[in-house]
Amino acid sequence: AQTVTQSQPEMSVQEAETVTLSCTYDTSENNYYLFWYKQPPSRQMILVIRQEAYKQQNATENRFSVNFQKAAKSFSLKISDSQLGDTAMYFCAFGSANTGNQFYFGTGTSLTVIP
Amino acid sequence: EAQVTQNPRYLITVTGKKLTVTCSQNMNHEYMSWYRQDPGLGLRQIYYSMNVEVTDKGDVPEGYKVSRKEKRNFPLILESPSPNQTSLYFCASSLGWDRASGYTFGSGTRLTVV
């Protein structure tokens, strides 16, 4: 079975600073997908960024970028120029091309952006 | 607007009283899934469906039922709810062939069983 680990239950960052959220996963698959989802207080799950394992280039979406280390099975999220609206729970998720569309989620990191 | 619609948003019920949480998507997605979210445990999959009339258990299926009679609808049924099913529930859908697109989630249902 695949597992996803987020070892930082809570984090905080000053507004305009940069913060990195960690995620590691365990799999024997070679073809898979990784995602970061944001859950603000409204509890809506919002896709922040995605990474396909076969792509070596790290994904970037505006202020959000990932550091994907396939050999280390690590997938961290970097948020630059943090904004108050970034305050949310962040979930790392893993999806395998070989196990249908079942996604596995980490336990989440609660991020607070401090004014 | 492409979306997954869940109802109700909040529900308080008593132990043993059957309930159904509805889920509908308008994106013609083949794949639909139900998750429950609990503090410290993240999201855990309850059931999923690869297409009409095709459903399978996820990691925590006990106490739940689902059906997929139409492509757009995937209701979650609790035949005899118990307090340990108090949780935040999410329905999600995705294209069957485009696993890289990830899920589109509903807005969640906060269920309390007393």
Side-chain angles (χ1 to χ4, degrees):
Chain A
Q2 334 293 341
T3 58
V4 178
T5 302
Q6 292 179 251
S7 59
Q8 305 153 313
E10 297 181 355
M11 294 189 72
S12 61
V13 62
Q14 291 291 138
E15 195 174 6
E17 296 295 309
T18 295
V19 64
T20 298
L21 280 58
S22 301
C23 174
T24 59
Y25 57 94
D26 186 26
T27 183
S28 58
E29 306 284 346
N30 193 49
N31 186 16
Y32 52 87
Y33 310 91
L34 296 162
F35 307 87
W36 278 99
Y37 281 88
K38 170 185 178 181
Q39 186 182 45
S42 67
R43 82 185 187 209
Q44 181 68 45
M45 293 287 285
I46 302 164
L47 179 63
V48 174
I49 198 164
R50 76 193 83 195
Q51 175 81 41
E52 291 151 297
Y54 68 87
K55 291 186 177 179
Q56 292 186 339
Q57 187 172 5
N58 288 325
T60 298
E61 291 284 344
N62 301 313
R63 299 183 294 106
F64 299 87
S65 61
V66 299
N67 182 6
F68 173 48
Q69 301 287 331
K70 191 173 183 179
K73 296 179 183 175
S74 171
F75 183 60
S76 60
L77 175 69
K78 185 172 83 170
I79 305 174
S80 304
D81 184 26
S82 297
Q83 300 175 0
L84 296 179
D86 295 333
T87 292
M89 181 73 82
Y90 288 82
F91 291 98
C92 179
F94 169 99
S96 167
N98 297 323
T99 56
N101 285 56
Q102 185 171 8
F103 286 9
Y104 298 88
F105 287 82
T107 53
T109 296
S110 178
L111 176 68
T112 301
V113 179
I114 303 167
Chain B
E1 179 188 354
Q3 61 184 358
V4 176
T5 303
Q6 265 181 256
N7 281 298
R9 194 163 168 82
Y10 298 92
L11 179 60
I12 300 174
T13 190
V14 296
T15 298
K17 185 176 181 181
K18 181 180 178 180
L19 66 91
T20 299
V21 184
T22 63
C23 174
S24 180
Q25 50 91 6
N26 61 1
M27 297 164 284
N28 202 35
H29 284 172
E30 293 87 1
Y31 188 88
M32 298 186 74
S33 182
W34 277 101
Y35 283 85
R36 61 177 289 173
Q37 181 182 351
D38 301 291
L41 297 176
L43 280 80
R44 295 177 293 166
Q45 192 175 51
I46 303 170
Y47 268 95
Y48 64 94
S49 170
M50 300 290 284
N51 215 321
V52 176
E53 301 292 359
V54 181
T55 63
D56 209 346
K57 297 177 181 178
D59 296 318
V60 289
E62 293 78 20
Y64 305 94
K65 286 177 59 178
V66 294
S67 68
R68 188 89 181 274
K69 294 183 172 58
E70 305 166 281
K71 196 172 187 178
R72 64 184 292 125
N73 295 323
F74 190 45
L76 179 70
I77 304 157
L78 285 72
E79 294 271 1
S80 183
S82 62
N84 64 11
Q85 293 179 297
T86 292
S87 187
L88 177 60
Y89 291 87
F90 284 99
C91 180
S93 72
S94 68
L95 280 169
W97 56 267
D98 186 13
R99 296 178 178 94
S101 65
Y103 282 143
T104 299
F105 281 88
S107 54
T109 296
R110 172 73 68 185
L111 173 66
T112 302
V113 184
V114 298

